[in-house]
Amino acid sequence: MQSNCDTCMYFCYDDVYDEYYCQVNLDEDEMERFLRDENRGCPYYRLEDEYKTVRKQM
């Protein structure tokens, strides 16, 4: 199952370059696997959930 970068909390917009990027620092091997699409899903994927903290407070 592929993860959707659009909903990941590490997928951010850079105003200077006018593009989106991933904030996770990958080493050479991880980047190669990612570019070859061998991961089947990003191991760093985290759903961007704005209400997570609010639910914990209740």
Side-chain angles (χ1 to χ4, degrees):
M1 173 192 257
Q2 290 288 341
S3 59
N4 186 359
C5 290
D6 293 338
T7 60
C8 183
M9 67 184 290
Y10 299 118
F11 195 60
C12 298
Y13 182 73
D14 186 353
D15 293 333
V16 175
Y17 293 107
D18 192 32
E19 65 185 13
Y20 287 91
Y21 68 98
C22 181
Q23 286 184 320
V24 176
N25 288 330
L26 303 175
D27 65 12
E28 280 185 41
D29 296 329
E30 290 173 323
M31 181 57 85
E32 182 180 351
R33 273 185 249 124
F34 179 75
L35 294 175
R36 287 185 178 196
D37 198 26
E38 293 178 358
N39 275 343
R40 299 258 189 243
C42 180
Y44 302 105
Y45 177 80
R46 298 280 187 261
L47 180 63
E48 183 177 17
D49 188 3
E50 299 172 3
Y51 299 104
K52 186 175 184 177
T53 306
V54 174
R55 281 195 297 270
K56 286 185 176 183
Q57 291 176 352
M58 297 178 117

